[in-house]
Amino acid sequence: MNQCLTFRMGAELYGVDIHNVQEIKGYAPSTPLPNSPDYFRGVMNLRGIIVPVVDLRARFGMPAIEPTRVNVIIVVVASGRVTGLLVDAVADVAELRESDIQATPDVCGAAPPDFVQGVARMGDQLLILLNTDRIVAAAA
Amino acid sequence: MIDVDPESLAVFLEEADELIADFEQCLLLLETLPDDREVINRAFRAAHTIKGGAGMLALNPLAAFTHELETLLDELRDKQLLCTQAIIEAMLASSDIIKAHLDLIRDGRSEKTSGQDAVLGRIWKVRAEGDMPPEAPPAPSAVVLAPGLQAVCVASTPTPVFQPMVSVTPVPAEAPAALEASAPAAEGHRNEAGSASIRVSIEKVDQLVNLVGELSITQAMIGELVQDYSPGKLLTLQESVAQLERHCRDLQQRVLNIRMVPVKGVFERFNRVVRDVAAQAGKQVSLEIHGEETELDKTVVEKIADPLTHLVRNAVDHGLEPTEARLSAGKPAKGLLKLSAYQKGANIFIEVQDDGRGLDRARILQKGRERGLVPEGREPTDDQVWDLIFQPGFSTAEKVTNLSGRGVGMDVVRRNIDDLQGKVSITTAAGQGTTFRIQLPLTLAMMDGLVVRVGKQVFLLPMVAVISSFRPTAKQLGRVDSTEVVEVRGVYVPVVRLYEVLALKQRVTEPTNAIIVVIDDGSRTFGLMVDELMGQLQVVVKSLEANYGRVKGVAGATILGDGQVALILDAPSLLGLTRDRGGHFTAAPGPLVIPNLERA
């Protein structure tokens, strides 16, 4: 991983490989899908393509917030699928060297261990690197 | 393993499918006109082009085999041989071998096929039996084509070159771009490799290019007007916007038109099917084809081939009587099978019509009773009786033949047609024949939908499944065996509450305040309860599966005028959803178990 897009949810800082990121959109209401898991906000229209939106807070079991326009949907592409990830706010693009990344500790914020690829220190904060493929695969 | 550029391979396979269809067509023509030079030339060109393409892609087993076929055709062309029935039979067998080769190649294998040597032997035999002493047949092992080597037999006719698809590469300047440009695409049931692309005439693409040019001019005009706007320019602005609308509509229509291909490609193959099945069944059949220029969505054309084949085989094997029976019934010895396609409104109809014995009502009904499909003492209508033959495993054939009678088939036909959002109906008259009429939507990309609202959410129901809608009175509602029912024109049908099966929050729970939409998929009827009807829309169908997955009860999605996504419901399957949860409604109205829709 060379560059990663970092974003915030609650007090924690997360990151996804920038190669997986297609674009970043402001939050807009989506159409709910019948009988889908809670963390699914539904589907949105991305220039004519139907894209599912996963509420990452809900996915990680964090307290829900009612999203507004200041919240952000990160559109990621993994395993050939396009998925929107609803997060609090985008932080930055961070440069990471392979040596900066450490193995996942046992406890790693709210994220289920399956979804975490590793952690890296960013100044005085811990950056949790997410495995986009797994998140997208588990979403569908 | 085949180690070539997958795109070139896909182009080759698609073109080879068309060529082999054309080749067979020629052979069938030769049966009646054995001396027709033009037809022999066409067949030669088809074989030659397949060989050339196979050689170029280093598909050596196919190239070597086709080379033998080409040699035979070359001798026919040069009148060294006379075109006899034996030769035509041998070439038809070769055509099957080439098709087997193509299927193997689709599976990623380039090797000799079983039965290939026997057919080669036949080719050599018919050549040896010909009038002129042929040169010694080359041993098959001697023919190994190097990649790129395609002109082993120098043809005096112009050598057709693989026509690149417009989407892939530009046509090289020296290639004859207009080569049989009008030849309709022969499509059919194919694996992914063949179906991923579509051939479009340059003309259609040019029209699009023109239109897009117009569109950007209009857009620039509007841009200028808006940038430097004054109230005096309102009229010009309105005119420009109107023009923009016209261009958009035009563009939409033409883009959809690209997906449309003539049914000819599918229909043509039935010449061969009918010929073979008739020969096997020992019957004389003539096939009439009407409306082969009718255009259908490419996806539909591909998927309709299999069910049509079933219907055609059935018609020849079951529908038409044996020759003696026909003669004693005062009919011509030769049975007539009519295959026709036509457009009516937003639907395409395909009919398979025979002048045979007609469906045997008594026997079908008896079988139906034996299998418990029709309760004793109940007298079903004609249509209900005909409907029985679409039941899985239903067959009235006394003897199981190689062709049909195993009772598999008709249910598959119904399912395939359902998948295409189509319907199949039967008209039959004893002693006069049977017609199977398949009704298909013009395209799967667009759909007429009824917009309904439940709570805050808006859904679309495919119009093709909607019969009527009404607000029920208390008198029309009732319960049968604890199932909620509603009376529709004197018949009680089950009620499906949309908010229940989709687990939606806000809703009207009192049926007399709601709307019942009557849904019928051809075999089952039920009333779907929604809050409100919002109108009717023609929409573009989008896939939900591409990025998410299949959701039970949902056929797809579309984007409404305001940019929001609306779900298109698979209306007939909603009845199944209520049954999935045990099939029992509690007798007393109260909180019902909300079903868990599974995603496949």
Side-chain angles (χ1 to χ4, degrees):
Chain A
M1 189 183 289
N2 292 324
Q3 284 189 318
C4 84
L5 178 76
T6 64
F7 58 90
R8 290 189 186 282
M9 282 198 302
E12 284 162 27
L13 189 66
Y14 294 89
V16 288
D17 187 337
I18 204 139
H19 289 112
N20 290 119
V21 178
Q22 179 183 313
E23 62 189 277
I24 299 164
K25 274 178 66 81
Y27 170 80
S30 46
T31 302
L33 275 182
N35 299 298
S36 54
D38 286 347
Y39 55 82
F40 259 110
R41 304 251 13 144
V43 284
M44 68 171 178
N45 165 20
L46 187 71
R47 294 184 299 279
I49 302 169
I50 310 286
V51 174
V53 180
V54 174
D55 185 337
L56 219 50
R57 267 180 174 270
R59 192 72 184 93
F60 292 176
M62 294 164 71
I65 51 160
E66 197 43 52
T68 65
R69 294 190 64 163
V70 302
N71 296 107
V72 170
I73 294 172
I74 303 175
V75 180
V76 295
V77 185
S79 319
R81 284 172 188 272
V82 186
T83 304
L85 305 177
L86 175 65
V87 303
D88 289 6
V90 169
D92 201 358
V93 175
E95 297 268 353
L96 287 178
R97 280 189 306 270
E98 210 59 53
S99 55
D100 295 338
I101 303 169
Q102 299 158 24
T104 319
D106 289 345
V107 183
C108 196
D114 261 8
F115 294 161
V116 179
Q117 194 159 303
V119 292
R121 189 143 288 285
M122 293 280 294
D124 55 356
Q125 205 174 8
L126 198 66
L127 171 67
I128 303 165
L129 295 168
L130 297 175
N131 184 330
T132 323
D133 281 297
R134 291 228 184 108
I135 294 178
V136 170
Chain B
M1 272 307 291
I2 299 177
D3 182 27
V4 290
D5 169 35
E7 210 162 75
S8 315
L9 191 64
V11 174
F12 167 71
L13 286 172
E14 182 158 353
E15 180 130 326
D17 286 340
E18 287 178 22
L19 288 165
I20 202 72
D22 192 45
F23 180 69
E24 279 191 0
Q25 202 61 29
C26 291
L27 297 182
L28 298 176
L29 279 173
L30 282 178
E31 284 195 321
T32 42
L33 309 158
D35 293 325
D36 195 309
R37 297 283 91 198
E38 196 34 57
V39 177
I40 292 177
N41 281 338
R42 229 172 87 197
F44 176 84
R45 280 198 300 269
H48 180 74
T49 313
I50 292 175
K51 187 188 81 174
M56 225 160 3
L57 295 170
L59 303 167
N60 293 335
L62 173 59
F65 179 81
T66 320
H67 175 72
E68 293 300 321
L69 178 62
E70 190 191 9
T71 312
L72 173 66
L73 278 157
D74 196 34
E75 288 176 9
L76 285 173
R77 218 172 45 152
D78 295 347
K79 302 200 181 165
Q80 291 175 34
L81 282 177
L82 284 177
C83 189
T84 60
Q85 189 61 31
I87 290 183
I88 293 172
E89 296 286 349
M91 289 197 291
L92 278 172
S94 315
S95 159
D96 290 337
I97 295 290
I98 293 178
K99 282 193 266 188
H101 268 290
L102 294 174
D103 284 342
L104 277 176
I105 292 167
R106 266 186 200 95
D107 291 341
R109 286 150 56 199
S110 174
E111 56 199 53
K112 271 175 73 171
T113 60
S114 57
Q116 165 170 350
D117 288 338
V119 174
L120 273 180
R122 277 172 76 181
I123 293 183
W124 292 332
K125 186 155 164 278
V126 294
R127 281 176 61 199
E129 284 166 355
D131 295 351
M132 303 288 290
E135 74 264 44
S141 57
V143 187
V144 176
L145 290 177
L149 181 65
Q150 62 164 325
V152 172
C153 267
V154 179
S156 55
T157 45
T159 306
V161 171
F162 273 91
Q163 210 178 338
M165 284 174 296
V166 285
S167 60
V168 183
T169 39
V171 182
E174 67 276 16
L179 170 85
E180 287 168 23
S182 60
E187 258 80 61
H189 152 69
R190 286 292 160 236
N191 298 348
E192 300 307 317
S195 63
S197 60
I198 203 163
R199 284 165 141 248
V200 182
S201 72
I202 300 277
E203 199 187 330
K204 277 187 181 176
V205 176
D206 282 347
Q207 287 174 346
L208 280 180
V209 172
N210 273 340
L211 204 55
V212 170
E214 289 293 304
L215 199 63
S216 47
I217 292 170
T218 317
Q219 178 230 318
M221 259 165 59
I222 293 176
E224 251 170 63
L225 276 167
V226 171
Q227 200 140 55
D228 187 22
Y229 184 73
S230 64
K233 290 181 181 166
L234 180 62
L235 203 65
T236 332
L237 184 63
Q238 281 173 338
E239 272 170 15
S240 300
V241 171
Q243 203 172 352
L244 196 67
E245 269 176 28
R246 268 199 305 280
H247 287 331
C248 282
R249 242 198 334 268
D250 212 9
L251 191 64
Q252 188 184 35
Q253 219 150 48
R254 282 179 203 269
V255 168
L256 285 173
N257 185 256
I258 284 186
R259 295 184 57 91
M260 306 296 273
V261 296
V263 290
K264 189 174 178 180
V266 171
F267 274 15
E268 269 182 349
R269 78 174 60 184
F270 289 115
N271 284 310
R272 174 85 192 269
V273 173
V274 168
R275 177 190 180 278
D276 288 356
V277 178
Q280 259 176 289
K283 293 176 182 175
Q284 301 173 42
V285 183
S286 70
L287 174 69
E288 269 184 32
I289 290 181
H290 299 275
E292 55 187 355
E293 295 307 326
T294 311
E295 289 197 329
L296 255 174
D297 192 286
K298 164 124 176 159
T299 329
V300 182
V301 168
E302 278 173 5
K303 292 194 179 150
I304 201 67
D306 275 354
L308 265 186
T309 309
H310 267 298
L311 290 178
V312 167
R313 296 181 81 108
N314 263 334
V316 175
D317 198 28
H318 291 321
L320 296 171
E321 315 89 327
T323 312
E324 315 83 64
R326 288 183 66 87
L327 288 172
S328 62
K331 290 180 179 180
K334 211 168 189 182
L336 178 65
L337 188 67
K338 253 199 249 177
L339 199 56
S340 43
Y342 55 92
Q343 181 179 352
K344 214 163 117 189
N347 289 297
I348 296 285
F349 292 86
I350 296 180
E351 290 182 2
V352 180
Q353 188 182 358
D354 66 58
D355 69 343
R357 53 170 81 99
L359 293 181
D360 187 340
R361 191 182 194 280
R363 204 157 98 216
I364 296 172
L365 185 57
Q366 184 204 335
K367 279 269 169 178
R369 290 205 200 280
E370 278 170 22
R371 298 195 35 153
L373 295 166
V374 182
E376 286 297 333
R378 194 174 283 184
E379 211 37 64
T381 65
D382 281 356
D383 283 341
Q384 282 167 336
V385 174
W386 310 145
D387 207 58
L388 287 173
I389 67 171
F390 292 110
Q391 296 300 320
F394 195 90
S395 176
T396 58
E398 277 141 13
K399 56 174 194 229
V400 169
T401 69
N402 192 18
L403 300 170
S404 36
R406 290 199 192 86
V408 290
M410 289 310 271
D411 60 319
V412 179
V413 168
R414 158 72 62 82
R415 210 169 48 236
N416 287 349
I417 293 169
D418 279 353
D419 285 348
L420 294 170
Q421 295 167 38
K423 289 179 184 176
V424 55
S425 61
I426 301 175
T427 12
T428 181
Q432 288 172 33
T434 309
T435 304
F436 286 87
R437 183 178 297 107
I438 303 171
Q439 179 187 342
L440 294 165
L442 207 50
T443 169
L444 293 180
M446 296 283 283
M447 190 204 70
D448 275 315
L450 182 69
V451 189
V452 300
R453 186 184 59 81
V454 176
K456 280 185 187 162
Q457 216 174 329
V458 165
F459 298 93
L460 279 104
L461 300 169
M463 271 319 270
V464 57
V466 174
I467 302 296
S468 61
S469 62
F470 62 96
R471 170 157 289 170
T473 60
K475 235 176 67 186
Q476 284 173 300
L477 295 158
R479 279 182 185 278
V480 174
D481 301 338
S482 82
T483 301
E484 195 174 10
V485 292
V486 65
E487 189 201 333
V488 180
R489 281 187 228 131
V491 182
Y492 280 98
V493 299
V495 171
V496 174
R497 297 180 176 218
L498 190 56
Y499 71 84
E500 263 178 29
V501 288
L502 297 188
L504 304 170
K505 280 177 204 137
Q506 295 107 332
R507 66 254 175 158
V508 178
T509 51
E510 187 48 58
T512 50
N513 292 331
I515 299 283
I516 296 284
V517 181
V518 183
I519 304 286
D520 186 342
D521 69 346
S523 57
R524 299 171 308 176
T525 310
F526 65 96
L528 187 66
M529 189 176 123
V530 300
D531 290 4
E532 192 188 356
L533 297 186
M534 310 277 288
Q536 213 177 316
L537 263 189
Q538 197 182 44
V539 295
V540 179
V541 182
K542 305 267 181 183
S543 160
L544 205 60
E545 286 166 54
N547 293 313
Y548 185 67
R550 194 177 269 272
V551 181
K552 271 194 184 170
V554 177
T558 190
I559 293 158
L560 298 177
D562 61 358
Q564 280 293 306
V565 179
L567 300 179
I568 300 169
L569 299 179
D570 178 8
S573 78
L574 294 171
L575 183 63
L577 286 180
T578 59
R579 284 196 188 140
D580 277 355
R581 44 193 270 213
H584 298 292
F585 286 83
T586 40
L592 288 160
V593 188
I594 286 163
N596 269 323
L597 300 195
E598 291 161 7
R599 288 199 312 274

